[in-house]
Amino acid sequence: MTWGLFTTWILPGLWVTVQVTIFSAALAFAVSLAIGTLRTSRWWIVRFLSGAYFEIFRGTSALVMLFWFAFAFPLMFGYQLVPMWAGVLALGLTYGAYGSEIVRGALAAVPVAQREAGIALSFTPMQRLRRVEFPQAWPEMVAPLNALAIELLKGTALVSVISVSDLAFAGNVIRLSTGDNAPVYTLLLVMYFILAFAITRGMRVVERQAKKGIGQEPERVPLFRKRGAGSPGAAGDTRAMGGVNA
């Protein structure tokens, strides 16, 4: 693969992938917060409708949803979506359904005593959510949302099937024109990994700040651990050997 092909196809494809990831993630985050919060409502009709959204989008294929927005939506509503925005809608709404379960679970994990304290202070439900529940639930959401963001990044490759010139589309064009299968797809793997690594590092910073905001000291996990008395494989750790001392 020549430098000209790299600058003509790969770099523009990288920019398109970044844009699709950012816009889809923003939409998915907004949907996650809205649907996840509504699923904790005291009104059964609200829980039913938000739960129906969750089940529908969780139970349908993201690829088929992409085709629906690109090809069925214009026929049904008479409005043609730009392919890139069709992809953003399909990915954002689909992954937002998965994210809503993360939000719902984190809010449900807030101790009941905290909610009761908000009631005792005469907070409205919205005030309790904003001042009591969400600040405590947010640190628990970050790590699963990080994993979901990486899955969304990898899912952006689907937009290539509706002719959006992302990384996957650019790699396929170069492969067909040069026949360099191994170099092209190896390069794509490396570039997706770099993007995923950047997302992970950014979310780690967000997680540390979220935990500091509620007075928790973020856990620092070393990259490598020495084999010592505290490790599961240590000679003195009887739990690692089924409780039998040597």
Side-chain angles (χ1 to χ4, degrees):
M1 184 177 63
T2 64
W3 177 253
L5 288 174
F6 182 83
T7 56
T8 303
W9 288 101
I10 296 298
L11 288 183
L14 173 63
W15 174 234
V16 171
T17 294
V18 170
Q19 290 182 85
V20 173
T21 302
I22 292 175
F23 293 137
S24 299
L27 176 59
F29 183 68
V31 170
S32 298
L33 291 181
I35 301 299
T37 303
L38 291 175
R39 291 180 65 198
T40 64
S41 173
R42 59 179 179 174
W43 304 102
W44 73 268
I45 186 63
V46 176
R47 295 196 306 271
F48 174 79
L49 293 176
S50 57
Y53 173 91
F54 168 71
E55 294 295 342
I56 291 171
F57 279 88
R58 185 184 66 165
T60 54
S61 167
L63 180 60
V64 176
M65 188 65 66
L66 187 67
F67 286 142
W68 188 87
F69 275 109
F71 305 120
F73 184 88
L75 296 176
M76 297 174 64
F77 299 98
Y79 183 80
Q80 180 68 54
L81 293 171
V82 176
M84 177 176 168
W85 293 113
V88 167
L89 280 174
L91 294 174
L93 295 176
T94 299
Y95 284 89
Y98 290 102
S100 69
E101 180 65 9
I102 295 173
V103 174
R104 185 205 63 79
L107 290 174
V110 175
V112 177
Q114 298 294 325
R115 298 189 181 90
E116 293 175 346
I119 295 173
L121 292 172
S122 300
F123 285 173
T124 65
M126 183 57 67
Q127 287 176 324
R128 292 200 303 270
L129 177 65
R130 182 169 57 89
R131 297 184 178 183
V132 179
E133 298 175 26
F134 189 81
Q136 296 184 61
W138 171 239
E140 305 303 321
M141 299 180 197
V142 178
L145 288 177
N146 174 41
L148 190 64
I150 293 174
E151 287 298 320
L152 190 153
L153 166 66
K154 294 185 288 186
T156 59
L158 294 175
V159 301
S160 63
V161 300
I162 57 172
S163 301
V164 177
S165 302
D166 70 324
L167 272 176
F169 183 89
N172 195 46
V173 169
I174 296 174
R175 178 189 68 84
L176 293 174
S177 61
T178 64
D180 295 334
N181 293 343
V184 169
Y185 287 123
T186 301
L187 176 62
L188 293 187
L189 286 175
V190 171
M191 298 188 79
Y192 275 108
F193 170 77
I194 292 173
L195 291 174
F197 185 78
I199 290 174
T200 299
R201 300 310 300 176
M203 293 297 281
R204 291 276 176 85
V205 174
V206 173
E207 184 177 10
R208 286 197 295 268
Q209 294 301 319
K211 289 186 176 181
K212 286 182 180 179
I214 59 173
Q216 293 183 6
E217 184 65 27
E219 181 182 1
R220 296 185 179 274
V221 180
L223 186 60
F224 299 102
R225 290 183 177 179
K226 293 183 178 180
R227 192 179 182 86
S231 64
D237 193 344
T238 58
R239 292 177 300 174
M241 298 183 291
V244 179
N245 288 311

